[in-house]
Amino acid sequence: MKVKKIAVIGAGVCGLGAIKSCLEEGLEPTCFEKGSDIGGLWRYEETPDSGRAGIYKSLTCNTSKEMTSFSDYPVPDHFPNYMHNSKMMEYLRMYARHFGLMQHIEFLAKVCSVRRCPDFSSSGQWQVVVEADGKQKSYIFDGVMICSGHYTEKHLPLQEFAGIQEFRGRYLHSWEYKHPDAFAGKRVVVIGIGNSGADVAGEISRVAEQVFLSTRRGAWIWNRVWDDGNPMDTVLFTRYNRAVQKLLPSFLINRWAENKLNMRFNHANYGLQAAHRFLSHQSTFSDDLPNRIITGRVLMKPNVKEFTKTSAIFEDGTEENVDVVLFATGYTFSFPFLEDDLAILDSQHSMYKFVFPPQLEKPTLAFIGILQPVGALIPTSELQSRWAVRVFQGLKKLPSETDMMAEINRRKMKMAREFMESPRDAHRVQYIDYMDEIASELGVKPSLFSLLLCDAKLAKEVFYGPCTPYQYRLQGPGKWTGARAAILTQRDRILKPLRTRVLQPSGSSSSRWLWVARVCAVLFLSASVVIITQMIYH
């Protein structure tokens, strides 16, 4: 049987997972990467390159390493729980070397066009035109996996800000921001309170004269360090918690989450009170923002009404002199190489389970990682790739176009009920729910009942512990023999990078007093039980 050839567009985290998935299923992948190296979003470069993701030098992952890793390649135990972009790149290089992925990547290769072959309805093949060394070359592939990401085309809504063209200072998008040096002594307004806006405002405030952070609707602020110092996602993203959440009405979950976040700092007092409930809109990660606000280095402001030549006028009527405007206003989806055909992608990016365009005669085109999981992207996109290549091979079949469109419309209606109308929420999915949804299509969703019968220890960790990617390697296609051990040792890998100062047990007086206190507490409880018993019977 002829080996199918697959084009993978982009060598970021999604592209690497796609190459690996192709190799697992006996497909022949060729990855075209516009840049000179792997890593995509996580590859820091001092000068941003148009059409590539741009990150700032201090960027650190918002999801912890155990939740972020590829499903059959845990992050080294000594790596920090939240990895700086340089550590993430180190991990990606290790992954690529371990599975021999580099030989399948063509660097400095820009994909110019992807269009269906004339006989697509029978062959399902694609013509891909690639430019390298100043020359264009045409290829024929049996399938295409688009892994180019969605942090390349910056959204810069200048038309919404009157007077910005007359503003004499500098304005830029967070895509261009690298480090705070250029903002020393400046008065800066940052527009937007997503993850980038909060990070950049906090970082610039250390050198700027003053930073103003402008937000239309406020935000709920998460922090990486959760109860008992554990990584937030390892505590909250468990199957047990998700089961409880499904039983509770939304208003109770909103109340619990909002009270929990307000215990750290009162959002209303800090000018961050959101106009929406917690579940209705994507929250923001920031460990530093409340500290910058309480020290006065960041001042919260409402939306900018208009700009003058030297100042910003806010909707509350206040006016502040500013030197720089930084727009942290997000990104838009862009696939300039795709032919203009609604059968591939409509204006709303309607895809079956965010992967397959439903109107194609043959399911040989897959979008990987074009979604916003409330959780880590690597394991989510990896599962998409594992499913996609099984579909390419004909080992899994998609529903009819009618059924796929019906499912897409049901999802849209559900999201419209639950979330605000916002680009950040248009492709939002719950981490465990979506992972299980794709895993069910693939046949790799862990069976808790089966585990409970044959391996109670593992079943307990799968249910009560963090829902790490290794769970999707316990059974079915792509089963990994190391999955069980990875799950049972995940807590050790969480603790190891924290315990760099080893404390030796000692017989100190404080330890002795603690022991005495515990004994006294037991004696007191015992005496209380005796007294209460005597009172009952006498």
Side-chain angles (χ1 to χ4, degrees), residues 82 222-237 241 256-257 259-264 287 491 494-495 498:
Y82 290 100
W222 292 87
N223 54 305
R224 295 181 177 91
V225 182
W226 207 246
D227 295 348
D228 297 322
N230 290 305
M232 185 277 291
D233 50 3
T234 65
V235 176
L236 296 183
F237 295 174
N241 285 341
W256 174 85
N259 287 341
K260 179 75 173 177
L261 297 181
N262 275 327
M263 285 177 65
R264 181 186 175 211
D287 298 309
R491 297 177 190 268
I494 291 171
L495 290 175
L498 300 174

Side-chain angles (χ1 to χ4, degrees), residues 81-115:
N81 281 285
Y82 290 100
M83 294 183 285
H84 181 260
N85 62 82
S86 58
K87 278 295 181 185
M88 180 66 80
M89 280 298 298
E90 189 177 341
Y91 171 64
L92 295 178
R93 294 191 196 286
M94 293 168 63
Y95 177 77
R97 284 195 302 268
H98 183 78
F99 292 107
L101 307 184
M102 299 297 287
Q103 60 186 306
H104 300 281
I105 305 174
E106 293 189 16
F107 293 105
L108 300 175
K110 177 185 176 182
V111 175
C112 300
S113 69
V114 175
R115 60 171 57 93

Side-chain angles (χ1 to χ4, degrees), residues 60-63 82 193-196 198-199 218-227 230-238 241-242 245 253-265 267 272 274 276-291 373-375 424-425 428 430-431:
T60 300
C61 194
N62 287 328
T63 54
Y82 290 100
I193 197 171
N195 294 331
S196 296
D199 278 355
W220 293 105
I221 308 297
W222 292 87
N223 54 305
R224 295 181 177 91
V225 182
W226 207 246
D227 295 348
N230 290 305
M232 185 277 291
D233 50 3
T234 65
V235 176
L236 296 183
F237 295 174
T238 70
N241 285 341
R242 192 61 191 135
Q245 290 165 12
I253 300 174
N254 280 322
R255 183 182 299 172
W256 174 85
E258 292 164 9
N259 287 341
K260 179 75 173 177
L261 297 181
N262 275 327
M263 285 177 65
R264 181 186 175 211
F265 68 92
H267 283 55
L272 287 162
H276 55 271
R277 300 306 302 271
F278 172 79
L279 292 176
S280 300
H281 187 53
Q282 193 89 351
S283 300
T284 296
F285 271 91
S286 179
D287 298 309
D288 197 34
L289 184 58
N291 299 326
V374 183
R424 287 183 72 189
D425 293 308
R428 181 181 174 189
Q430 291 291 344
Y431 178 76

